[in-house]
Amino acid sequence: MVNNRLEITTICPDAENSLFTIESSEIEAQRAAAVAAASAADQHRTLPRIKILGTGGTIASKGASSSQTAGYHVDLTIQELLESIPDISAVCEIEYEQLCNVDSKDINEEILFKIYRAVSDSLQSFDGIVITHGTDTMAETAFFIESTIDFGELPVVFVGSMRPSTSVSADGPMNLYQAICIASDSKSRGRGVLVSLNDQISSGYYITKTNANSLESFNVRQGYLGNFFNNEVHYYYPPSKPLGCHKFKLRLEDSSPAPKLPTVCIVYAHQAMDSELIDIVAERCEGMVVAALGAGTLPEIVNTRCLAQDIPMVFSKRAMDGMVPNANLPKSADKSKCNIIASGYLNPEKSRILLQLCLAKKYTMEETRHVFCGVYGG
Ligand SMILES: NC(=O)C[C@H](N)C(=O)O
């Protein structure tokens, strides 16, 4: 015991969580006084400023009755949605903007760039950003925003719901409330794009929708970062960002219409696949992603058609988990001309976005291969 204070330090590198103290009653009294002084000071502290961007989705939908959980319509503004959550004025100051109000199946490039612009424009004046979004394509928008915006430490939190606002036990208000708390919490800084859903905090870069109906619609294995419980944010790990994430700097003119990204199509492989499909689709696009079988295999005749194309072809996978390694790619006779790239852990829809960005940047085949390898060791 030295000065009534025993310090036990673990070897945990997370400084904040590595120090435990056992203290005397005198020290406890001093601490109580310090806490009281700090809470008085807190009253004068300015609250974090959070920007909420509304885009629609089930979270902004209404059904005809409280038992309807399918066939509903997007019909709720971001203002109405905010009126349905508990008072948040003690947590943060809010500003909101309705960017669009659509089911996420209708998020097109024009809307994607609208979201991109709104996030970019909010970086300087806000401490956190929340984006309400349909869950069906949320992972794609989250991946695009993570790959194109350097938001430094600022939390950008996507949120959706699985039940419409009119349903019994609608999950939207709680998910939104939690998303705002996550965006306001200093522990959320430096973690990249986050997703708030079903009490779970996940990495927007890694999430995939894995269940079409249940509240636990994002069963993330990679990127499960923490939980939300009783109005508290709990992270399992110190802040970190996705490893190897390639950032693309976009230069957007202010003028509309929105710029057009290169067309990349996804072809889904299956037994007895028609190899001519590869030629037909290649005519229509500047790059192709194949949702291949297993860890990247395709019938030999389909591989041959893929090797014959003069556009980049990314081999991804139908399976939800696991990866496509370089070792499984078909070999070209002329190694220097091989147009096939392994997606690594990236699923087809995220591979599509990454390939679009590489093509937009006019990366060579080798540079594109390097980007995919960097992201997931493809
Ligand atoms: N749960 C949802 O949000 C699904 C909805 N169809 C959407 O993505 O907009």
Side-chain angles (χ1 to χ4, degrees):
M1 226 17 137
V2 183
N3 294 337
N4 289 335
R5 192 167 203 263
L6 174 69
E7 287 192 357
I8 306 166
T9 308
T10 71
I11 54 166
C12 172
D14 175 3
E16 201 184 312
N17 294 322
S18 64
L19 192 68
F20 300 87
T21 59
I22 299 171
E23 299 166 347
S24 73
S25 55
E26 190 192 327
I27 286 179
E28 264 170 36
Q30 285 170 7
R31 191 178 56 186
V35 168
S39 78
D42 260 4
Q43 306 210 326
H44 301 287
R45 181 177 60 98
T46 52
L47 293 171
R49 298 191 69 226
I50 305 299
K51 181 73 180 260
I52 322 265
L53 303 170
T55 74
T58 296
I59 194 169
S61 295
K62 284 181 187 166
S65 72
S66 61
S67 59
Q68 187 184 358
T69 58
Y72 45 76
H73 299 288
V74 176
D75 195 18
L76 202 70
T77 64
I78 187 67
Q79 182 179 343
E80 290 170 305
L81 206 58
L82 285 165
E83 282 163 9
S84 70
I85 65 168
D87 180 21
I88 204 113
S89 60
V91 176
C92 62
E93 286 170 18
I94 280 175
E95 222 172 83
Y96 58 86
E97 188 179 343
Q98 188 84 57
L99 296 181
C100 61
N101 218 8
V102 297
D103 186 291
S104 74
K105 69 180 163 57
D106 294 321
I107 300 272
N108 53 22
E109 271 174 22
E110 195 185 334
I111 298 176
L112 203 56
F113 283 115
K114 218 177 199 183
I115 299 171
Y116 170 91
R117 280 201 174 99
V119 172
S120 304
D121 292 349
S122 304
L123 295 178
Q124 296 307 320
S125 357
F126 291 89
D127 301 298
I129 299 169
V130 170
I131 304 166
T132 61
H133 197 294
T135 56
D136 290 347
T137 68
M138 182 188 284
E140 285 161 72
T141 305
F143 184 83
F144 179 81
I145 293 297
E146 179 81 80
S147 301
T148 54
I149 300 183
D150 184 2
F151 38 82
E153 301 284 290
L154 198 98
V156 177
V157 187
F158 278 80
V159 60
S161 81
M162 291 303 286
R163 292 183 181 143
S165 67
T166 41
S167 113
V168 185
S169 300
D171 53 331
M174 184 58 114
N175 289 347
L176 177 59
Y177 178 71
Q178 295 182 347
I180 296 170
C181 292
I182 292 165
S184 308
D185 197 304
S186 60
K187 293 199 292 296
S188 304
R189 293 179 68 78
R191 294 179 187 269
V193 171
L194 300 170
V195 170
S196 159
L197 208 100
N198 200 33
D199 293 336
Q200 201 169 285
I201 311 168
S202 322
S203 157
Y205 191 76
Y206 285 108
I207 51 140
T208 311
K209 187 166 186 176
T210 53
N211 192 302
N213 321 105
S214 90
L215 297 191
E216 197 189 6
S217 52
F218 292 119
N219 180 8
V220 272
R221 296 184 207 232
Q222 294 135 325
Y224 185 6
L225 305 180
N227 254 315
F228 200 97
F229 181 70
N230 195 26
N231 195 13
E232 285 168 4
V233 175
H234 296 275
Y235 286 105
Y236 303 131
Y237 318 102
S240 68
K241 296 212 175 158
L243 198 64
C245 167
H246 195 91
K247 289 270 186 194
F248 294 81
K249 207 177 165 92
L250 303 181
R251 273 193 196 84
L252 293 188
E253 306 295 316
D254 268 348
S255 61
S256 47
K260 174 99 189 62
L261 286 172
T263 306
V264 174
C265 296
I266 300 175
V267 172
Y268 198 91
H270 51 87
Q271 282 186 341
M273 185 177 176
D274 179 356
S275 62
E276 274 183 38
L277 202 62
I278 299 295
D279 298 302
I280 295 166
V281 176
E283 293 266 298
R284 297 185 53 88
C285 55
E286 290 150 80
M288 198 190 304
V289 175
V290 184
L293 313 171
T297 59
L298 289 173
E300 223 28 67
I301 185 167
V302 182
N303 275 338
T304 306
R305 292 318 314 150
C306 289
L307 283 167
Q309 307 306 322
D310 56 8
I311 56 171
M313 311 272 306
V314 173
F315 278 23
S316 181
K317 71 235 151 65
R318 300 192 316 182
M320 192 185 77
D321 282 326
M323 60 107 73
V324 175
N326 281 319
N328 275 356
L329 299 182
K331 309 284 175 282
S332 152
D334 181 353
K335 260 190 166 182
S336 65
K337 278 207 176 135
C338 185
N339 63 327
I340 301 185
I341 295 168
S343 75
Y345 287 100
L346 280 187
N347 67 18
E349 57 270 30
K350 290 182 186 177
S351 300
R352 173 183 158 271
I353 294 169
L354 194 58
L355 184 52
Q356 280 187 303
L357 291 168
C358 289
L359 287 164
K361 273 285 187 192
K362 303 212 179 322
Y363 282 175
T364 63
M365 200 73 83
E366 261 336 286
E367 286 167 334
T368 304
R369 195 185 310 284
H370 181 75
V371 169
F372 274 86
C373 276
V375 173
Y376 281 116

